[in-house]
Amino acid sequence: MMKTSNPTSRDIADIAGVSQATVSRALRNSPLVREETRHRIQAIARELNYYVNRNAAGLRTHHSNTLALLMFDDSEGADRQMNLFLLSMLDNITRAAARFGYDVLVSLQQLHDDWHIEYQASHRADGLILLGYGDYVEYREKLAALADAHTRFMIWGPIVKDQPGHSFGCDNENGGYQATRHLTDLGRKRIAFIGSTSRRCPELAARHAGYLRALADAGLAANEKIRVPANNSESLGYRAAQQLMESGEAFDAIFAVTDLVAIGAMRALQEAGRKIPDDVSVVGFDDMPLAAYVSPALTTVQQDAEIGAEGLVRGIVGLIEGEPVESGLMAPKLIVRNSTA
Amino acid sequence: MMKTSNPTSRDIADIAGVSQATVSRALRNSPLVREETRHRIQAIARELNYYVNRNAAGLRTHHSNTLALLMFDDSEGADRQMNLFLLSMLDNITRAAARFGYDVLVSLQQLHDDWHIEYQASHRADGLILLGYGDYVEYREKLAALADAHTRFMIWGPIVKDQPGHSFGCDNENGGYQATRHLTDLGRKRIAFIGSTSRRCPELAARHAGYLRALADAGLAANEKIRVPANNSESLGYRAAQQLMESGEAFDAIFAVTDLVAIGAMRALQEAGRKIPDDVSVVGFDDMPLAAYVSPALTTVQQDAEIGAEGLVRGIVGLIEGEPVESGLMAPKLIVRNSTA
DNA sequence: CTGAAAGCGCTTACAG
DNA sequence: CTGAAAGCGCTTACAG
């Protein structure tokens, strides 16, 4: 007489000749249960391929041991490449969460969407991680609503004054500084900046701020004529570099706000016969896989996704477990390659 | 007197002056509830920010409305790039699952691991999707164990005879054929093959089989001297192309088993002064983002992650809902760029 | 060290 | 169209 449905703790109790409560304790390794009993129960559970019903356990304990990862991605088409870093974050977040004993539920959304933030309210997750590039300032209300609902969440991004919740991110200002400082150390004097500096993209604006600080440190004046805005795409980088050349303004280096922009700019420079790095040194930002393979290989600023993921997961687990949590930043790292050699 | 904890269906019932059962029905849009009552209850739920406790609902219904995505990735270091396609699959699987009303739980594993396949037994997921490259033949026992436990799962990959469970994948043989046929159509006669043909990599072996069929169709004999094995990495592609040149054997085209291998091979060819595509035409496989940006841009075979994801999700949802499900294959698509122009 | 009992918050036959 | 009731499978105070 075989049971076809999954075994329950009661089935195990019957076989072991103990109460269901004792089975529950034994499976959770409670020291209250005599060691021999515990081992016997665990052996039976293994043999029956028993696994605790997470719905039942979660209903009792109000814990799901699950994190919800909300990925915001507003990019489209060719710009989809930008996802690479975020996808690498996902990978590392999942691994870090596993170390802390949490599963990860993934949800892809757009910032202007409704956000599906009921994960915690519906007890599907114990906390949220918000991952994406973009301007949370515009979405402060939504963050505030999250906080009002006592939702635990960590935001990937900069530390923004008065922003509800906790965050962990990359020190983009420092990264912009390192990139530009590398160029001034090489003796470059006319360093162009290609990229958006809008406050809608706080990450990118911070990179520009670092650029300005490095120029100042080197005693160089920022020249607005060699700053060209560009959003994160290869084609916009290409166009921006063309504009730069057409302007007639001299420049001997470019700091591009992302690798994609840098790669587009390099293509324009090479088509125009400018030698990289001899005539123009180029630095990007991101260290996407592509960066090492373009020719010349691109010097860039790397954000370590493993450290970023660890920071976010440690933060949200701390919030869940009621420990004090501080927002944090990690330092990015300059990777020197041939585009500035 | 405010309640601080989350509202329950009973709270709503009290406010609405109905029974808790009626609340439950109204929230599930049951036609049994009078329309006016339904609207009133739903309005209260919205106002209270009420969301059904998924643990409680799942405990009752035995459905989690969640899919577990097990990603197997044994690659490391520089080869991590190979993940791009799999990560793109993840992205598309999540979107497809959302369309079907399912959440996605992500778990990263290694094939030689223990696999954490208790997702269904623990009622955390209603079914699994297994995603990765690699040889499931070696893991047939694990698949059989899954099937024995009545676990519902879909495997990303080829249709393998006698393999337990259902699968959906790319027709790699067809892709290898298209790539090679493109080269023979261009009049190339000495088409080298770079890549593993081991049965440990059934996907890659199928590409080689397609290569052989296209040669046969063109009346060309396969020349073993211009077949060089290489696993999926840029550096191995580089070395393989060097070997090919050192062999002294003539060749006017290369079909590389993946884009990474092709890109490495192109680097070796260019360093040796061979012109692409004039001296040697090169075709890859994958259409990784990189492929469009290397120079010359790489002709390659594209697997559409959106179609793949849809196939997997449709399959697993069918299995969950007890519908008949067949394994399937999707046709890849040749993308012609300058490396064969 | 163990058991009997309550209860987590739903869904759904059953009865009206 | 609605309600009273049972029960999904756990965890954990309480009592011994």
Side-chain angles (χ1 to χ4, degrees):
Chain A
M1 208 168 59
M2 280 205 30
K3 289 198 54 162
T4 58
S5 62
N6 287 331
T8 69
S9 59
R10 194 165 302 277
D11 295 329
I12 296 180
D14 291 347
I15 295 172
V18 297
S19 73
Q20 181 269 330
T22 298
V23 171
S24 177
R25 290 192 188 97
L27 294 174
R28 318 190 85 239
N29 277 312
S30 161
L32 288 175
V33 179
R34 194 152 51 97
E35 193 176 331
E36 184 269 326
T37 315
R38 208 189 319 154
H39 288 326
R40 190 157 49 87
I41 290 171
Q42 289 176 348
I44 295 171
R46 239 186 331 269
E47 182 164 2
L48 265 61
N49 252 300
Y50 168 82
Y51 293 97
V52 172
N53 182 319
R54 295 295 219 89
N55 287 135
L59 179 57
R60 262 309 311 230
T61 61
H62 299 288
H63 288 297
S64 61
N65 290 304
T66 300
L67 305 176
L69 176 57
L70 307 196
M71 299 188 71
F72 296 100
D73 177 15
D74 296 343
S75 65
E76 293 180 28
D79 293 354
R80 243 13 211 314
Q81 312 225 5
M82 161 173 178
N83 294 357
L84 291 183
F85 176 72
L86 298 183
L87 287 171
S88 163
M89 284 292 284
L90 176 147
D91 181 305
N92 283 285
I93 284 171
T94 304
R95 292 175 203 277
R99 282 200 298 281
F100 283 94
Y102 284 82
D103 284 321
V104 175
L105 212 47
V106 176
S107 175
L108 298 160
Q109 328 220 335
Q110 307 210 288
L111 269 172
H112 56 79
D113 269 2
D114 221 9
W115 298 16
H116 297 268
I117 50 184
E118 72 274 20
Y119 285 99
Q120 185 178 323
S122 64
H123 292 270
R124 269 178 293 184
D126 299 328
L128 314 184
I129 293 176
L130 309 190
L131 186 59
Y133 285 135
D135 177 19
Y136 284 104
V137 171
E138 197 170 321
Y139 300 98
R140 181 163 302 178
E141 296 167 29
K142 294 195 182 184
L143 297 179
L146 269 181
D148 285 350
H150 302 104
T151 303
R152 294 173 280 259
F153 61 97
M154 288 290 297
I155 301 171
W156 168 252
I159 300 178
V160 179
K161 202 158 140 22
D162 296 332
Q163 178 171 275
H166 300 266
S167 65
F168 191 88
C170 172
D171 189 341
N172 284 286
E173 198 275 346
N174 173 288
Y177 181 85
Q178 286 189 58
T180 312
R181 175 66 185 260
H182 171 60
L183 292 169
T184 62
D185 284 352
L186 289 171
R188 303 285 157 153
K189 304 286 187 207
R190 301 163 184 277
I191 303 172
F193 181 91
I194 300 184
S196 166
T197 56
S198 140
R199 58 157 273 281
R200 293 198 41 127
C201 305
E203 279 90 351
L204 306 190
R207 293 173 194 178
H208 183 246
Y211 160 83
L212 293 178
R213 180 161 65 89
L215 289 186
D217 274 14
L220 298 172
N223 177 359
E224 278 296 307
K225 291 187 187 146
I226 52 176
R227 180 171 71 78
V228 186
N231 281 318
N232 183 37
S233 91
E234 204 268 347
S235 55
L236 291 173
Y238 178 84
R239 290 253 295 281
Q242 284 186 325
Q243 266 183 258
L244 201 55
M245 291 185 286
E246 285 161 11
S247 76
E249 203 72 17
F251 62 95
D252 54 13
I254 293 175
F255 171 37
V257 81
T258 69
D259 285 350
L260 265 189
V261 170
I263 289 165
M266 291 209 295
R267 184 159 62 89
L269 292 171
Q270 288 170 328
E271 281 184 10
R274 309 252 185 144
K275 296 253 177 290
I276 305 169
D278 304 341
D279 301 339
V280 183
S281 289
V282 179
V283 182
F285 205 114
D286 277 346
D287 195 29
M288 52 167 56
L290 191 46
Y293 289 107
V294 290
S295 137
L298 181 65
T299 293
T300 187
V301 179
Q302 181 185 62
Q303 312 182 56
D304 187 320
E306 191 173 340
I307 296 173
E310 176 84 16
L312 288 169
V313 172
R314 202 174 275 284
I316 193 65
V317 170
L319 290 172
I320 291 167
E321 296 179 352
E323 291 159 13
V325 169
E326 299 273 321
S327 292
L329 284 181
M330 66 176 192
K333 190 175 142 197
L334 184 74
I335 308 287
V336 177
R337 298 204 181 92
N338 294 331
S339 68
T340 60
Chain B
M1 203 167 61
M2 281 207 26
K3 287 200 56 164
T4 58
S5 62
N6 287 332
T8 69
S9 57
R10 194 164 301 276
D11 296 328
I12 295 180
D14 291 348
I15 295 173
V18 297
S19 74
Q20 181 269 330
T22 297
V23 171
S24 178
R25 291 193 190 97
L27 294 174
R28 317 189 85 239
N29 277 312
S30 162
L32 288 175
V33 179
R34 194 151 52 97
E35 194 176 331
E36 184 271 323
T37 317
R38 209 192 314 158
H39 289 325
R40 191 157 46 87
I41 290 171
Q42 289 176 349
I44 296 172
R46 239 185 335 266
E47 182 164 3
L48 264 62
N49 252 299
Y50 168 83
Y51 293 97
V52 172
N53 182 319
R54 294 297 218 88
N55 287 136
L59 179 57
R60 261 308 311 229
T61 61
H62 298 289
H63 288 297
S64 60
N65 290 302
T66 300
L67 304 176
L69 176 58
L70 308 196
M71 298 187 72
F72 296 100
D73 178 14
D74 296 343
S75 64
E76 293 180 31
D79 293 352
R80 243 10 212 316
Q81 312 225 5
M82 163 174 177
N83 293 356
L84 290 184
F85 176 72
L86 298 183
L87 287 171
S88 164
M89 283 292 286
L90 176 147
D91 181 306
N92 283 286
I93 284 171
T94 304
R95 291 177 204 275
R99 281 200 298 281
F100 283 93
Y102 284 82
D103 284 322
V104 174
L105 212 46
V106 176
S107 174
L108 298 159
Q109 327 221 335
Q110 307 209 291
L111 269 173
H112 56 79
D113 270 3
D114 222 6
W115 300 15
H116 297 269
I117 51 185
E118 72 275 18
Y119 285 98
Q120 186 178 323
S122 64
H123 292 268
R124 269 179 295 185
D126 299 327
L128 314 183
I129 293 175
L130 310 190
L131 187 60
Y133 285 135
D135 178 19
Y136 284 105
V137 171
E138 198 169 320
Y139 300 98
R140 181 163 301 180
E141 297 168 28
K142 294 195 183 184
L143 297 179
L146 268 182
D148 285 350
H150 301 103
T151 302
R152 294 173 281 261
F153 61 96
M154 287 290 297
I155 301 171
W156 167 253
I159 300 179
V160 178
K161 201 160 141 23
D162 296 332
Q163 180 171 272
H166 299 266
S167 65
F168 191 87
C170 173
D171 188 342
N172 284 286
E173 198 275 345
N174 173 289
Y177 180 85
Q178 287 189 56
T180 312
R181 175 66 186 261
H182 172 60
L183 293 168
T184 62
D185 283 351
L186 289 170
R188 303 287 159 155
K189 303 287 187 206
R190 301 164 184 277
I191 303 170
F193 182 90
I194 301 184
S196 166
T197 56
S198 142
R199 58 156 275 281
R200 293 199 42 125
C201 306
E203 279 89 352
L204 306 192
R207 294 173 194 178
H208 183 246
Y211 160 83
L212 293 179
R213 181 161 65 90
L215 290 186
D217 273 12
L220 298 171
N223 177 358
E224 278 297 308
K225 290 187 185 143
I226 53 176
R227 181 172 70 80
V228 186
N231 282 318
N232 183 36
S233 91
E234 204 270 345
S235 55
L236 291 174
Y238 179 83
R239 289 252 296 281
Q242 284 186 324
Q243 266 182 258
L244 201 56
M245 292 186 283
E246 286 161 10
S247 76
E249 203 72 17
F251 62 96
D252 55 13
I254 292 175
F255 172 37
V257 81
T258 69
D259 285 351
L260 265 189
V261 169
I263 288 164
M266 291 209 296
R267 184 160 60 90
L269 292 171
Q270 288 170 327
E271 281 184 11
R274 310 251 182 143
K275 298 253 176 288
I276 305 169
D278 305 342
D279 300 340
V280 183
S281 288
V282 179
V283 182
F285 205 115
D286 277 346
D287 195 28
M288 53 166 56
L290 191 46
Y293 289 106
V294 290
S295 131
L298 181 66
T299 293
T300 187
V301 179
Q302 183 186 58
Q303 311 182 56
D304 187 320
E306 193 174 338
I307 296 174
E310 177 83 16
L312 289 168
V313 171
R314 200 173 276 282
I316 192 66
V317 169
L319 290 172
I320 291 167
E321 297 180 351
E323 290 159 13
V325 170
E326 298 273 319
S327 292
L329 284 181
M330 64 177 191
K333 189 175 141 197
L334 184 74
I335 308 286
V336 177
R337 297 203 182 92
N338 295 331
S339 68
T340 60

